[in-house]
């Protein structure tokens, strides 16, 4: 069975040595000293390793079952959920006005990584509730907030997001679910929604569904979508549960992974709903919360990679096969551990370099969200808006790839269920799809974010990279050569790609869109390159000062050098693909794609 | 449910327009005219699409079961196996002396692709039998051949390969299974073997196990391994079945994919075995047959990609979401089919360009095997020996990646079992692992094949590329620019990588081994680049002559241009990784890998 060890030391290094949170001018960050975050992470880590991780294979094997409208979660899930609730973990970054602890989003991000590594399917129940909480918090009326939020903060009640219908996912303008206004100010909601994570289950007393639907007078397309609260049980004026609403789970999806999470078909048969915000402004309300939700999915991607890496490493240190090419390393044993072999190292280094870079990128993103929300920092808000599709798309693509690398470390054992690696692969796979497929992320990045406000955000990004390189170069030739030079080259490739889009995308947008996916990956590499430069800088500073664990800091530097030498060269290939334009991509007519068939 | 359409037209194009089989100076190839291969492929395609493909999801869901030592295959498998047998498909390229049809290996490769696309888990039963047939054919005594081969050719009897034990897979020198000589010239075989595909099942009357074991006086390591025939039922002198042998299936592996194939733990409890070939020469016997077996696994990798691509394409042509950025393409419908979107095209083109290139590479490899075996062409033998790890490693890595791309085309539907794409992903995953992990393939390539005979094979490869470019350039400027120039650049990168290994690998072999995986991929890109140049050349020749289906040939050219423009630039990144040497890869001590943990 796989194990999980919380990466507390690496998180502390990021929070305090790289992001220097306690010094940041963001309300609430002054409390985040090393002892405080250390205590939070230790407790969260314990719960993750001891309670959540052992349930991960159980959830995968048992899955959820639907019988007479009731969805049962796997054995042990409810007990574990009660423990998560009792520890106050669901309330970490929620508004104190509704019972939350008011901690920065960054703290809940670190905790969320642990929970997600330990048991992704399980952690989604609280994740979805948190997303619904955020939406009501931002767009609900005072009464709605008072009615629903306190019990969503504690996860006594769950929450869901109902967007997709059988005939439409990405293109929500096509939805058919109807909302008919009633005399009492409520709405009758009728329609079918699919792929509703945590849509029905047995761990909460009530489920607050957020449902996109169309009013009778709705304009066509996405401009005619409204958002409704549709609770499973109506809530009486005194807060007690009232009648069962006219909604039900019509089926569970049989999926490749995340079996422990109930993915429901939800039927609304004239259910009572309450309008959230203004009519026809439902999409805007949904999208306000998208940054956090998408960052959360990027996090899931690398969180699976982290736990997969840990187990691959454990195997590589134990499994004896063959001898080190430079001479036996364990002559007393029949063979050396496979970690001696250069290609096994290459594989492990690829995993490690990605995971640590991805964690830094995500924490940095979470810090920007805090700066935006808590300190009103408009530039941070703009920057995280630009980077969100990169975090979601790049980290989940690479996160999945990394779980596959980790599975490969185990050879045949990686293919068996017993070792658990194959579950990480299957679970990680969904992160590339939900919350907007990664293709949609790249479209959001290139089609919307790049050009917003005349390209202000991307220019600010380039200015930041330039300023970083300028400020940090010249003091240490080796650092410049190993970190700053590759970063400069990669960033130049990103700029060249942007220039290509400007020159060729204006007259024919396909030239930009055909390169959008490569652009997202090119961008991701530059961001991880920047993160590795910053981490390496912090590590060498600590080493010079004799502060902290020298072996840890040396490993950090070496892993960073690996990333710069072995991952960053990829930017040149992405640029070449982008610069080949739309021609090769769009050359075939749709009916020519199948031309090789009989 | 997924569907399968046999890619007959593309296969015919490869066989006759690119490889020009009927003109080849290889015994048996003169029969392979267009009508003959067309008839064979049509029949094989029909069986694949109508019988095998519908059983693929059945096999995945039901899996195999073990009860009282009996393994039951999924419903319908036995009937289908009887049909495959009745059609003579198991005997295609087998020796006529033992009841085979004596057709070239190339023909059975094309048929094998179809069977494997349609139902990989099912086709493995015959594939393993064929591997065991090959081994006995090459190394068995006359009596052994007469006893076992005729019924293995018809698949009345199955065959298996027993290498792995719980504590050793790659490093077979560590095996513990014992073979004790008996007075009657037989051996008592005792030990446990794991991951034995088709080790026990209900579709055949007898199973002929080939088992690696050690004689009492065996030297240490791989030089002390002998090969034995250990039948499930002993065979009487008259060919009838005798006593049940002392061997049994002790368990079935619970795996990520290929559920329809029984992966067995095999226990040998003093079973009667017969030595194949000389004592202590078992590894050599196993490895003789490795080229074909590994080429067969490379084929499985792209065969899954082919069927996944077909289903992704079908979805992209049907699913309506959003509008073409240049204006509606289906204004009468609520939205355009998603194939109009550039990023969906990019995704589909990546799939198509890989699959068709991979098919060409594999067919070319099969033709070399025929040239070696049938025409005694030593140079072809040497070349295919060099290319085998590339075919196996590169085509299965990219094949798996391509199934993931195809799954992505379907968005959320790709993650559900109902659409079948996720099964292709899970099934394809094993191809990167078995028959030697892809890391082992890269080691075989760089550690053994490159240097063999003073590097004769790799030099012959470069000479061939140079000659090809020289012969074909100058006549058509556009072709030169779109195909030959990128091929030349990619081949230059491959040569630079080889030079790097020579200069730095001599003093420190880690410098070569740390780059072996990238070298395998770099090599694969060059081979597919060569294949695309050859296919494009054949397509433009046909177009100029007005021969065949113009739309097909135009699609071929356009897909080739895509490969050259969008895939080949990857060689530069692989070269950069290789040239960074072993330093970054080997920098960490084993205990530093986990330094980020608590």
């Amino acid at each position: 069975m796989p194990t999980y060890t919380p990466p507390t030391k690496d998180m502390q290094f990021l929070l305090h040595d790289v992001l220097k949170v306690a010094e940041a001018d963001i309300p609430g960050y002054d409390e985040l000293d090393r002892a405080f975050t250390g205590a939070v992470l230790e407790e969260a880590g314990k719960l993750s390793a001891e309670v959540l991780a052992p349930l991960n294979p159980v959830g995968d094997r048992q899955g959820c079952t639907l019988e007479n409208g009731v969805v049962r979660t796997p054995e042990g899930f409810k007990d574990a959920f009660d423990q998560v609730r009792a520890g106050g973990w669901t309330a970490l970054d929620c508004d104190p006005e509704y019972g939350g602890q008011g901690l920065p989003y960054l703290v809940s991000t670190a905790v969320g990584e642990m929970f997600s590594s330990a048991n992704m399917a399980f952690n989604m129940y609280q994740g979805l509730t948190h997303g619904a909480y955020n939406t009501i918090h931002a767009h609900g009326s005072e009464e709605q907030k008072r009615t629903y939020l306190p019990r969503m903060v504690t996860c006594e009640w769950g929450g869901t997001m109902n967007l997709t219908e059988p005939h439409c996912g990405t293109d929500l303008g096509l939805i058919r679910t109807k909302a008919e206004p009633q005399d009492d100010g409520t709405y009758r909601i009728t329609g079918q929604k699919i792929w509703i994570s945590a849509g029905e289950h047995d761990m909460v007393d009530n489920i607050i569904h957020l449902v996109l639907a169309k009013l009778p007078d709705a304009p066509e397309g996405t401009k005619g979508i409204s958002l409704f609260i549709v609770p499973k049980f109506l809530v009486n004026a005194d807060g007690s549960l009232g009648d069962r609403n006219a909604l039900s789970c019509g089926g569970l999806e049989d999926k490749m992974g995340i079996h422990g999470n109930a993915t429901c078909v939800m039927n609304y048969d004239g259910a009572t709903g309450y309008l959230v915000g203004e009519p026809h402004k439902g999409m805007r309300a949904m999208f306000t919360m998208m940054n956090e939700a998408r960052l959360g999915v990027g996090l899931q991607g690398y969180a699976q990679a982290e736990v997969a890496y840990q187990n691959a490493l454990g195997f590589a240190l134990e499994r004896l096969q063959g001898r080190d090419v430079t001479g036996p390393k364990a002559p007393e044993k029949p063979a050396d551990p496979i970690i001696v072999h250069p290609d096994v190292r290459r594989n492990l280094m690829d995993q490690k370099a990605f995971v640590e870079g991805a964690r830094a990128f995500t924490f940095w993103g979470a810090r920007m969200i805090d700066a935006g929300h808590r300190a009103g920092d408009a530039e941070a808000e703009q920057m995280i808006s630009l980077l969100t599709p990169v975090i979601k798309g790049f980290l989940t693509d690479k996160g999945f790839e990394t779980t596959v690398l980790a599975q490969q470390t185990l050879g045949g054992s990686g293919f068996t269920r017993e070792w658990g690696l194959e579950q990480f692969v299957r679970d990680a796979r969904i992160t590339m799809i939900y919350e907007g497929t990664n293709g949609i992320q790249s479209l959001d990045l290139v089609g919307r974010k790049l050009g917003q406000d005349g390209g202000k955000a991307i220019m600010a990004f380039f200015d930041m990279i330039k300023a970083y390189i300028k400020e940090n170069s010249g003091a240490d030739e080796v650092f410049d050569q190993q970190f700053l030079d590759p970063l400069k080259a990669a960033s130049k490739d990103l700029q060249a790609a942007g220039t290509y889009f400007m020159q060729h995308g204006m007259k024919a947008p396909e030239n930009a869109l055909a390169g959008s996916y490569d652009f997202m990956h090119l961008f991701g590499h530059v961001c991880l390159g920047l993160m590795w430069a910053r981490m390496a800088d912090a590590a060498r500073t600590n080493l010079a000062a004799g502060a902290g664990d020298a072996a840890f800091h040396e490993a950090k530097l070496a892993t960073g050098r690996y990333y710069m030498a072995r991952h960053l060269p990829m930017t040149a290939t992405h640029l070449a693909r982008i610069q080949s334009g739309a021609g090769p991509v769009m050359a075939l007519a749709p009916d020519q794609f199948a031309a090789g068939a009989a």
Side-chain angles (χ1 to χ4, degrees), chain A residues 156-177:
Chain A
E156 284 164 277
W157 295 356
T160 71
M161 313 287 259
N162 290 240
L163 286 75
T164 305
E165 299 182 7
H167 64 291
C168 70
T170 298
D171 190 354
L172 289 169
L174 304 174
I175 68 167
R176 292 178 192 148
T177 296

Side-chain angles (χ1 to χ4, degrees), chain A residues 288-305:
Chain A
T288 316
M289 292 302 106
M290 225 39 136
N291 277 356
E292 273 191 38
R294 290 184 168 177
L295 192 134
V297 175
L299 177 148
Q300 289 179 329
Y302 85 78
Q304 287 306 291

